[in-house]
């Protein structure tokens, strides 16, 4: 194990996500699904093979169990983990040095073996990092580790009634930081001023999904509608809903994702978008629906492009890129679908194992990376006739966080460690 020093490096990058060049944004991993919010890595030459004994540039022990995916901005790597039964934000650099650690509120420990009090992933805009915890604590910190503002959303808006552990991550729109809450009780989206933490708008999202079906652990996706309006698409409680990012107003909805009214159809996998299409797995991985952005009111009859059963995923969120959907089912069936039609283009079955896939897949160049819960990562080619495994890599630990690709390296967060796989 490499030793790591604790220090505080005053390095503050003043660059808001929406005002940076696309090149600068692409060099980072600002939120859990990457710079384009679709699971596609920035351009780079990333490692193909590694193990505990080869290819690991550094690794650090974490102070407690968490499932959040790290966020990266230049030389700052942010992640959340508990410290002494307190929620905490940790910051490392690319040498593996801990720059700082800040505690934020009492930890609410996880109930499920895949859960923790630190499952929501941080998001950064290059100026601040925003974090959210199962306890309801929601905060912004600057890059030196100073708390800029802090709230507890359960104290503001009501107790969390999720049956399991909070999973939805905050999102950063061009104007606001937005958090969603979908549970068995008053559900909502709430937007905050990123600089001050002031509440800008709150939009109720109360639908008639039965029991656990009303609960969602998914994260919304930010899209641009056909009218150029920034739009937040939320999937959960048996509906797609689209909201104006500036005001929270509902623009359109698609319902009946649970026509049989299954009482336990909670949703975990998140939506993903490419162009004017939004993709969402649902029904505990038993369905996938693609909806075209736009319209007003109920657009089920006019804007569903296709819907199929038996091809979704319960936990991993798919990739949408270059007219294709790359989907990994929890058991390891990988499929490539035509985004426009839903037709299957190819599929590969990963090795059978008692451990499932909870991390979401990542596309780096022409390779698909898929991390299993036991620390194994499989690499598949997406081009050519064969899509068989070209590398199988292993680290120690339990993995639910999605691997992060930035700076020519791969970050893998396990329950106990953060690994940096070298270039």
């Amino acid at each position: 194990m490499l030793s790591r020093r604790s220090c505080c490096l005053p390095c503050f990058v003043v660059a808001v996500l929406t005002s940076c060049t696309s090149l600068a944004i692409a060099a980072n991993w600002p939120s859990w699904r990457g710079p384009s919010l679709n699971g596609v890595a920035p351009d780079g030459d990333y490692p193909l093979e590694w193990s505990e004994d080869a290819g690991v540039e550094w690794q650090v022990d974490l102070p407690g169990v968490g499932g959040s995916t790290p966020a990266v901005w230049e030389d700052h790597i942010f992640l959340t983990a508990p410290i002494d039964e307190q929620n905490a934000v940790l910051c490392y650099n690319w040498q593996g040095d801990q720059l700082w650690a800040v505690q934020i509120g009492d930890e609410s420990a996880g109930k499920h073996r895949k859960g923790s009090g630190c499952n929501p992933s941080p998001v950064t805009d290059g100026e601040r990092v925003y974090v959210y915890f199962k306890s309801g604590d929601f905060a912004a910190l600057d890059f030196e580790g100073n708390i800029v503002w802090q709230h507890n959303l359960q104290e503001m808006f009501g107790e969390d009634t999720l049956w399991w552990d909070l999973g939805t991550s905050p999102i950063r729109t061009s104007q606001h930081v937005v958090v969603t809450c979908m549970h068995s009780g008053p559900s909502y989206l709430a937007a905050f001023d990123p600089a001050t933490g002031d509440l800008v708008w709150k939009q109720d999202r109360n639908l008639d999904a039965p029991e656990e079906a009303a609960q969602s652990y998914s994260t919304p996706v930010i899209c641009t509608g056909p009218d150029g309006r920034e739009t937040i698409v939320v999937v959960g409680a048996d509906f797609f809903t689209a909201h104006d990012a500036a005001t929270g107003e509902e623009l359109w909805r698609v319902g009946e994702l649970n026509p049989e009214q299954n009482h336990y159809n909670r949703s975990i996998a998140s939506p993903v978008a490419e162009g004017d299409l939004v993709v969402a797995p649902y029904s505990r991985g038993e369905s996938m629906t693609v909806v075209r952005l736009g319209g007003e009111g109920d657009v089920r009859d006019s804007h569903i492009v296709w819907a199929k059963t038996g091809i979704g995923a319960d936990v991993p969120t798919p990739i949408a890129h270059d007219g294709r959907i790359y989907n990994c089912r929890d058991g390891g069936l990988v499929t490539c679908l035509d985004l426009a039609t839903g037709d299957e283009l190819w599929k590969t079955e990963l090795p059978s194992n008692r451990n499932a896939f909870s991390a979401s897949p990542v596309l780096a160049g022409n390779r698909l990376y898929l991390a299993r819960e036991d620390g194994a990562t499989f690499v598949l080619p997406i081009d050519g006739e064969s899509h068989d495994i070209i590398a199988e890599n292993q680290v120690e630990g339990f993995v639910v966080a999605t691997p992060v690709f930035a700076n020519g390296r791969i970050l893998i967060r396990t329950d106990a460690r953060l690994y940096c796989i070298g270039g």
Side-chain angles (χ1 to χ4, degrees), residues 372-384:
R372 197 169 60 194
E373 290 173 357
D374 61 349
T377 300
F378 301 90
V379 187
L380 308 178
I382 62 167
D383 298 329

Side-chain angles (χ1 to χ4, degrees), residues 62-328:
L62 300 177
V65 174
S68 60
T69 295
V72 172
W73 195 278
E74 295 188 352
D75 198 36
H76 293 72
I77 300 167
F78 304 102
L79 75 157
T80 57
I83 298 178
D84 298 330
E85 299 183 344
Q86 291 272 306
N87 304 316
V89 188
L90 295 87
C91 181
Y92 297 90
N93 63 19
W94 280 108
Q95 289 70 51
D97 301 316
Q98 182 177 299
L99 306 183
W100 47 261
V102 176
Q103 291 169 291
I104 301 177
D106 294 333
E107 176 195 12
S108 177
K111 293 182 286 187
H112 195 278
R113 74 181 189 92
K114 299 183 185 183
S116 73
C118 300
N119 268 30
S121 300
V123 60
T124 181
D125 54 18
E127 187 171 1
R128 289 169 290 269
V129 58
Y130 309 92
V131 292
Y132 183 39
F133 299 92
K134 180 184 173 183
S135 61
D137 288 294
F138 176 46
L141 297 88
D142 65 24
F143 275 33
E144 296 176 344
N146 301 305
I147 297 175
V148 179
W149 50 261
Q150 181 177 354
H151 300 301
N152 187 290
L153 299 191
Q154 293 183 35
E155 294 176 1
M156 292 177 69
F157 303 131
E159 182 181 358
D160 173 7
T161 63
L162 291 168
W163 290 7
W164 297 101
D165 304 305
L166 181 73
T168 185
S169 300
I171 59 172
R172 178 68 162 93
T173 70
S174 63
Q175 300 179 60
H176 308 128
V177 184
V178 179
V179 173
T180 58
C181 177
M182 290 178 280
H183 61 169
S184 299
S187 298
Y188 60 85
L189 293 76
F192 298 81
D193 184 293
T196 66
D198 293 342
L199 179 66
V200 179
W201 55 256
K202 179 174 176 285
Q203 174 68 42
D204 290 342
R205 191 181 186 274
N206 297 316
L207 303 165
D208 294 326
E211 286 193 84
E212 196 185 12
Q215 305 186 6
S216 179
Y217 305 84
S218 67
T219 298
V221 66
I222 305 165
C223 315
T224 301
D227 58 358
R229 178 159 40 182
E230 187 178 28
T231 303
I232 301 169
V233 177
V234 186
V235 174
D238 299 341
F239 277 81
F240 279 80
T241 58
H243 303 263
D244 186 324
T247 66
E249 175 191 4
E250 183 180 309
L251 303 175
W252 53 261
R253 62 170 56 189
V254 170
E256 298 184 31
L257 299 183
N258 182 14
E260 297 181 359
Q261 290 292 282
N262 185 319
H263 284 215
Y264 305 105
N265 255 15
R266 86 288 177 275
S267 54
I268 298 177
S270 299
V272 64
E274 185 185 41
D276 63 349
L277 299 182
V278 181
V279 182
Y282 206 72
S283 303
R284 289 179 173 259
E286 290 306 312
S287 73
M288 183 176 287
T289 303
V290 173
V291 173
R292 190 175 305 280
L293 294 169
E296 296 180 359
D298 187 341
V299 298
R300 176 175 175 81
D301 294 335
S302 58
H303 282 65
I304 290 182
V305 178
W306 56 264
K308 294 189 175 184
T309 59
I311 62 170
D314 186 21
V315 179
T317 293
I319 296 164
H321 179 65
D322 199 21
R324 295 185 176 188
I325 299 170
Y326 301 95
N327 187 67
C328 178

